[in-house]
Amino acid sequence: MKMITLILTSFALAIIVTYLVKLSYRRYQFLRKLKGLPGPKAYPIVGDSLEMLYLKRNELMKMNSEKRELYKSIYLEWSGPFAEIHLLRPEYVEVALKSTVNITKSMAYDFLHDWLGTGLLTSSGRKWQERRKMITPAFHFGILEDFVEIFGEKSRTLVEILKKQKFGEEFDIYPMITNCALDIICESAMGTTVNAQEKKDSDYVRAVYEVSELILYRALRPWLYAEFIWKMSSHGKAFYRNLKTLHDFTNKVIVERREATSKKCSLNESDDGVGKKKAFLDLLLEATENGHELSQADIREEVDTFMFEGHDTTAASIGWAIFLLGNNPEVQDRVVEELNDIFGDSDRLATIHDLNDMKYLEMVIKETLRLYPSVPFIGRLVTEDMVVGEHLIPAGVWVNIELFSVHRCRDHYSDPEKFNPDNFLPENTKSRHPFAYVPFSAGPRNCIGQKFALLEEKTILSSILRKFRVESTEKQEDICLMMDLVLRPESGVKIKMYPREQ
């Protein structure tokens, strides 16, 4: 009996030792592939992540800029035992973004799963491919045209609110822009109104802001990454309480919309192209995946994804554009001249044809997104070895695609920190590397809603500038960049506003 026990124990130990040897050898091979990459000094277990624990949120972007100047093109960091490679140049970013294999998002996106499930933003593999194919028609130009009226109506509400400000006195326009963007996305995505601009006590609006803030709070505190610890914490409990508000609201709208659609079908009714416009939700209700109707959960995660991606990012871009125009009156005057050519003395809402004619304003928006991309970093998990320049990036590495740094490459932009819409004149873009400007990502996982965003931004900005002259009270060199779920100015967008002469 003792002999059998001894044999079994020896056998078990042999298996364990063999496994550990294989594991160690794989780790050795992994580290060997990373050997030639530059980066800060790393320590066992903790890597080089200790410095992050002592940084304030408003210091993260400054630290990132310092590393860009130090390493120029690529560098390696260790978050504990996890390797993260930062790509800072267009030709390196091109390899990562064009890959049809390495499309899995990084661990940072895991914090969004409770809210968004595995919708288009967070899913990967076959599910992502099927959803992308299914949802793409919802962003067809003809459908986007229906949304332009919503953009105009909500922008007009924003203008009426801005008229109540005291002209010549400083105020923060950023919250007002955010509420306008939230109104637009709610009506476009769900076909329902929350009146974020006029109604100050909406549970849904409050929950959107709370959940967004709590996701960031968790992301910056590694000890809250474990699910059971997060759920027991006071912040975690607040997160799930607000999350229930969001999901209950979306579920209610979906049920009501589905019942209304079924009733219409049973009565054989039709809109005949007149009257009620279709929201993104309606298009999802009509869509099928592999011949099957999408479930309640399927639809909710896509609507929630559209809500999440479609309001904060757009608001940030518009806010930065206002800030830059307020600091560059000569550029603002050129935009207004273009708007006067389009609208004359008319007070009408912009049509899609008007928006397409706003060529210079589009250059302003592009230059804004070059300097301040709403999402300055994109994270991917490398699932298959890939070669970037002279470097082999092995499977198992997290890649951080730094759009903020890529947009500041000196060999593509002669004065990268200067706001210059002429960077996007045709003669200046034709010879530039195609991945030197990628605010909406690129390749197979590029942003599906970028045309929607551009039309919305043009509508809101043109509505404001037709009525008001804006003057920024802070300079570009003095602004502190804050990395939240989007890139924003820490102090908001402080401006003075004056009525534009008719």
Side-chain angles (χ1 to χ4, degrees), residues 35-48:
K35 193 174 181 181
L37 287 163
K41 185 177 180 179
Y43 299 92
I45 301 176
V46 297
D48 51 58

Side-chain angles (χ1 to χ4, degrees), residues 336-386:
V336 173
E337 184 180 342
E338 179 179 72
L339 296 177
N340 288 339
D341 288 342
I342 294 171
F343 295 100
D345 295 329
S346 172
D347 196 37
R348 62 182 173 78
L349 296 178
T351 66
I352 197 162
H353 302 292
D354 296 329
L355 299 177
N356 289 332
D357 286 340
M358 297 177 190
K359 305 298 184 184
Y360 188 69
L361 180 56
E362 183 167 327
M363 288 164 58
V364 167
I365 293 170
K366 286 181 175 180
E367 176 69 351
T368 298
L369 287 168
R370 180 188 73 81
L371 283 169
Y372 304 111
S374 298
V375 180
F377 314 111
I378 297 173
R380 296 278 173 86
L381 169 64
V382 178
T383 54
E384 185 177 290
D385 289 4
M386 65 179 183

Side-chain angles (χ1 to χ4, degrees), residues 261-443:
T261 302
S262 299
K263 184 178 180 181
K264 186 189 296 183
C265 290
S266 66
L267 294 173
N268 199 25
E269 294 178 357
S270 171
D271 286 332
D272 296 322
V274 179
K276 197 169 183 63
K277 295 176 289 295
K278 289 185 177 180
F280 179 64
L281 171 57
D282 297 311
L283 300 169
L284 286 174
L285 288 169
E286 294 171 0
T288 58
E289 185 177 27
N290 291 332
H292 300 290
E293 186 178 279
L294 293 178
S295 69
Q296 176 88 2
D298 292 333
I299 293 174
R300 191 191 72 198
E301 65 187 11
E302 296 303 346
V303 170
D304 284 342
T305 294
F306 194 41
M307 287 293 306
F308 168 76
E309 288 198 277
H311 91 276
D312 230 6
T313 52
T314 308
S317 177
I318 295 167
W320 282 116
I322 290 290
F323 168 75
L324 290 166
L325 289 168
N327 268 304
N328 296 271
E330 71 288 352
V331 175
Q332 187 176 163
D333 288 344
R334 283 187 64 182
V335 172
V336 173
E337 184 180 342
E338 179 179 72
L339 296 177
N340 288 339
D341 288 342
I342 294 171
F343 295 100
D345 295 329
S346 172
D347 196 37
R348 62 182 173 78
L349 296 178
T351 66
I352 197 162
H353 302 292
D354 296 329
L355 299 177
N356 289 332
D357 286 340
M358 297 177 190
K359 305 298 184 184
Y360 188 69
L361 180 56
E362 183 167 327
M363 288 164 58
V364 167
I365 293 170
K366 286 181 175 180
E367 176 69 351
T368 298
L369 287 168
R370 180 188 73 81
L371 283 169
Y372 304 111
S374 298
V375 180
F377 314 111
I378 297 173
R380 296 278 173 86
L381 169 64
V382 178
T383 54
E384 185 177 290
D385 289 4
M386 65 179 183
V387 176
V388 172
E390 300 175 351
H391 307 282
L392 172 66
I393 298 183
V397 164
W398 299 105
V399 166
N400 196 12
I401 301 162
E402 302 211 2
L403 308 187
F404 188 87
S405 297
V406 169
H407 290 177
R408 283 167 165 75
C409 281
R410 295 187 182 279
D411 47 346
H412 295 290
Y413 302 99
S414 57
D415 191 355
E417 296 295 339
K418 182 182 177 182
F419 175 64
N420 179 18
D422 286 352
N423 279 323
F424 291 91
L425 286 169
E427 59 266 31
N428 292 330
T429 59
K430 64 181 179 181
S431 59
R432 187 178 297 146
H433 194 289
F435 283 74
Y437 176 74
V438 281
F440 296 101
S441 188

